[in-house]
Amino acid sequence: MKIALFSTCIVDAMYPKVALATVRILERLGHQVVFPSGQGCCSQMHVNSGYFDDALPVVRNHVQAFTKESYDVAVAPSGSCVASLGHQQPMIARAGGDEALAKEAEEVAANTYELAHLLTDVLGITDATEQLGSWFPNKVTYHPSCHGMRLLKLGDRQKVLVKSVEGIDFYELPDAEECCGFGGTFSFKNPDVSGAMADAKIRNIEKSGADICTGGDASCLLHLSGAMSRKKSTLSTIHLAEILASTKANPLDVSGPVELSITEGAK
């Protein structure tokens, strides 16, 4: 299968190794990954802040990037950005009077999957140990991000994959469905509330007994990681793509900055 990667802004700028891990997972399964040139932001932050006019050219750019490339399905390691494609982009196009763009946006969105959704529902991956060779011997808990839960209806797809990784010591997160407080521009406009929500989430991560919190949205993990750093916490965050990409032959090093070696390991 030919799969187009939508890297998203935060992954591209802050967590490029998450995109690399996504590619490694898919190539390990024998799929071809392509990167549509010209892709950029999904327009989510513009829309959430009410800048519909500014969002329109951003939507148009995304649709153009993902319609000029030939592929079977597209994937992004971010529930919030995938949700924005279907929930916001057609609306912005119609608000701008471009019905043709709205229909194209709907078609692109319908063929774009969050990573765990693609792995489970399209590629049939239910056991990361057996089917991906994943290995990650660490104490891990899982935070389900709001967009994945409430807009994409991912359910337990991400958690099931994480729990199926060989060697993982999984801990349930108390009040897991509570928001971490990021909310995109919400964290900038309401920093005190956002910070308090992050602190509450971190307290629950501590209560879980885990050392690492994983999830499917780099934005939420970035928010929590920053709060952990300010608290001088020993906790850390790691995107689920990096955990799934980790193998015995090519393990993810969590002793310092998260790294995967250049050479791919066991298939």
Side-chain angles (χ1 to χ4, degrees):
M1 184 177 288
K2 191 175 183 181
I3 302 174
L5 175 65
F6 172 35
S7 65
T8 79
C9 295
I10 288 184
V11 168
D12 186 53
M14 305 297 294
Y15 293 102
K17 288 185 175 61
V18 170
L20 178 61
T22 300
V23 172
R24 281 181 166 149
I25 292 166
L26 297 175
E27 289 185 342
R28 188 178 300 162
L29 291 170
H31 301 288
Q32 178 188 1
V33 182
V34 296
F35 185 82
S37 61
Q39 64 175 281
C41 180
C42 67
S43 79
Q44 182 179 176
M45 62 181 180
H46 304 75
V47 180
N48 290 350
S49 298
Y51 296 112
F52 284 17
D53 291 342
D54 293 323
L56 183 58
V58 180
V59 171
R60 184 170 289 113
N61 180 77
H62 182 85
V63 170
Q64 289 175 345
F66 280 84
T67 52
K68 70 181 181 183
E69 182 79 49
S70 173
Y71 58 89
D72 297 304
V73 294
V75 66
S78 167
S80 64
C81 295
V82 173
S84 178
L85 300 188
H87 179 64
Q88 296 179 332
Q89 287 199 354
M91 174 192 70
I92 291 301
R94 290 193 171 96
D98 194 335
E99 182 61 27
L101 177 64
K103 290 180 178 179
E104 284 187 310
E106 287 172 342
E107 292 173 0
V108 171
N111 205 32
T112 304
Y113 293 81
E114 179 275 333
L115 177 60
H117 193 184
L118 177 75
L119 289 173
T120 57
D121 289 33
V122 179
L123 304 182
I125 305 301
T126 56
D127 189 318
T129 298
E130 293 297 324
Q131 296 171 284
L132 296 177
S134 307
W135 181 76
F136 191 71
N138 292 277
K139 296 179 179 179
V140 178
T141 191
Y142 161 75
H143 165 63
S145 297
C146 294
H147 285 84
M149 280 193 298
R150 299 179 173 93
L151 284 177
L152 295 183
K153 309 296 184 185
L154 292 179
D156 289 335
R157 288 177 176 89
Q158 294 177 338
K159 184 166 76 170
V160 167
L161 286 174
V162 170
K163 290 178 71 175
S164 71
V165 171
E166 183 180 0
I168 211 161
D169 191 3
F170 188 84
Y171 292 77
E172 293 289 345
L173 180 64
D175 297 324
E177 295 189 356
E178 294 295 322
C179 179
C180 71
F182 178 63
T185 53
F186 173 85
S187 62
F188 294 92
K189 296 176 179 178
N190 303 277
D192 292 338
V193 176
S194 175
M197 293 171 74
D199 288 344
K201 179 65 66 173
I202 291 170
R203 286 195 295 272
N204 281 328
I205 295 171
E206 292 171 340
K207 289 178 185 177
S208 77
D211 299 321
I212 295 167
C213 179
T214 191
D217 268 278
S219 53
C220 298
L221 299 179
L222 177 68
H223 179 61
L224 291 173
S225 180
M228 290 170 182
S229 178
R230 289 190 295 274
K231 291 168 64 71
K232 301 188 184 306
S233 172
T234 58
L235 298 172
S236 61
T237 64
I238 297 175
H239 194 282
L240 66 87
E242 294 180 280
I243 291 177
L244 295 177
S246 177
T247 65
K248 287 182 179 178
N250 187 30
L252 185 68
D253 182 6
V254 297
S255 62
V258 174
E259 289 280 352
L260 277 172
S261 66
I262 297 299
T263 304
E264 175 59 279
K267 300 294 182 182

